[in-house]
Amino acid sequence: MARMKVVVTGAAGYVASQLLPAFRERYDLVLLDNRNRTRDGALVEGVTISDLREFDRETYRRFFNGADAIVHLAFNYKAGHSMNDGDYYSERSNLDLAYHVYQTAVDEGVKRVVIASSNHAADWYEHLLRQRKMEMLDVTAPPLSDNFYGWAKACYEHLGFLAATGAMGRAVEIVQVRIGAPRQIPADSAAKDLTSYKRNLGAYISPRDLQQLFVKSIETPDITNEHGVPFQIFYGVSNNARAFWSIANARKVIGYAPQDDSEVVFADDIRRVLVAGKSVGRL
């Protein structure tokens, strides 16, 4: 079986650092970013410097020619480095970036685009979850956010739906991954904010589960929804006992089977910080 050609944008970023080890084994990659070093200064092998915010798509469309899929991870950090103080005009640059990727996919005949969305696309509901007015949130709820970072991610999803319907010229298969917490959850954060610590345990996704979720989002042959539109939104979390976002549709549509649970991964910390302190519960 021939290896798929996959374009990865934002290839020098943090999420890419977790995905590329698996991607390099499976795909022929085109790695794009506006820099070739991580935020820590490490060189990322194979990255081509290209700024996809450029409105003239002719300057980069050749990189997408012949691709089977695009994994769009690129993000303008100056715009949304802090999700609490972004504003409309700065976040709009990230919408331009997403639009350029979608439209280039249409123009170049790319079959599928997998987008790094965010749980913040619907993070307003966390107020209800923490008050136990909701027990679980799934992707059927309207995307509601109370910050501009989340608003921009919700708009990524709406733009993607346009692409999936063919409204941008040709239907492109679209998967939006609302990534949770792809990082270690330090126990010392519990002393500062116990509720957020518990929340992050529920939002955790391990590197191998993140890799599995993206690989299956790229490779699953049929992602059409119940209305016949090739469009899906999946929450990107592990199989966490404290989960408050549903991954039922990811299990059903692409066979996502996460292997990790934050309750096990961080068991020693949880026992020390929560159980010993008699503070249990989900959120």
Side-chain angles (χ1 to χ4, degrees):
M1 182 178 177
R3 286 164 65 96
M4 297 177 69
K5 178 180 178 180
V6 176
V7 179
V8 180
T9 74
Y14 175 71
V15 172
S17 71
Q18 297 193 39
L19 294 175
L20 287 184
F23 284 6
R24 290 187 192 276
E25 292 181 357
R26 302 179 72 91
Y27 309 129
D28 292 331
L29 296 175
V30 177
L31 305 180
L32 304 178
D33 209 319
N34 61 2
R35 65 186 193 278
N36 61 1
R37 293 185 180 273
T38 67
R39 279 180 278 177
D40 296 329
L43 181 68
V44 181
E45 182 181 352
V47 171
T48 297
I49 304 296
S50 182
D51 190 345
L52 303 182
R53 293 172 296 182
E54 172 61 53
F55 282 84
D56 182 4
R57 295 195 301 277
E58 294 299 323
T59 63
Y60 47 75
R61 64 182 293 172
R62 67 188 183 277
F63 299 123
F64 297 83
N65 183 259
D68 297 293
I70 301 167
V71 176
H72 178 49
L73 310 174
F75 179 73
N76 179 10
Y77 288 97
K78 290 184 178 179
H81 188 67
S82 169
M83 69 173 183
N84 294 318
D85 61 9
D87 60 33
Y88 170 80
Y89 291 103
S90 60
E91 285 296 344
R92 195 172 67 182
S93 68
N94 285 312
L95 300 185
D96 292 340
L97 183 58
Y99 171 75
H100 294 164
V101 169
Y102 291 135
Q103 191 62 61
T104 303
V106 170
D107 296 343
E108 293 301 311
V110 181
K111 181 180 180 181
R112 184 169 299 180
V113 180
V114 181
I115 299 283
S117 183
S118 171
N119 66 87
H120 293 293
D123 61 3
W124 177 81
Y125 294 100
E126 289 193 34
H127 301 296
L128 304 180
L129 289 161
R130 293 186 182 193
Q131 296 168 24
R132 304 310 289 267
K133 294 180 179 178
M134 292 181 68
E135 294 297 325
M136 185 67 67
L137 179 66
D138 66 27
V139 298
T140 61
L144 298 176
S145 180
D146 54 9
N147 57 78
F148 281 104
Y149 174 80
W151 164 82
K153 290 297 189 180
C155 290
Y156 277 31
E157 296 177 0
H158 292 158
L159 275 173
F161 188 76
L162 281 177
T165 64
M168 295 170 69
R170 177 186 62 84
V172 177
E173 298 172 357
I174 303 292
V175 177
Q176 306 278 344
V177 180
R178 290 182 179 173
I179 299 174
R183 59 185 182 273
Q184 293 295 300
I185 311 300
D188 58 5
S189 66
K192 302 173 184 177
D193 187 345
L194 187 59
T195 299
S196 292
Y197 177 67
K198 292 179 181 178
R199 180 261 186 203
N200 288 334
L201 290 172
Y204 174 72
I205 185 167
S206 67
R208 65 176 175 176
D209 287 343
L210 187 69
Q211 291 170 2
Q212 180 198 157
L213 181 55
F214 270 81
V215 165
K216 288 186 173 181
S217 293
I218 293 167
E219 297 182 6
T220 298
D222 184 5
I223 62 161
T224 53
N225 64 18
E226 67 274 23
H227 305 296
V229 180
F231 179 83
Q232 296 289 337
I233 300 172
F234 303 135
Y235 271 106
V237 295
S238 287
N239 190 34
N240 301 323
R242 296 174 186 269
F244 49 92
W245 298 317
S246 174
I247 56 174
N249 67 323
R251 294 183 188 274
K252 178 180 178 180
V253 176
I254 62 171
Y256 178 47
Q259 297 176 275
D260 292 309
D261 178 352
S262 61
E263 207 77 4
V264 176
V265 175
F266 305 109
D268 290 341
D269 285 346
I270 292 169
R271 187 178 301 108
R272 174 169 54 86
V273 174
L274 297 184
V275 177
K278 306 301 181 184
S279 177
V280 294
R282 194 182 61 185
L283 279 178

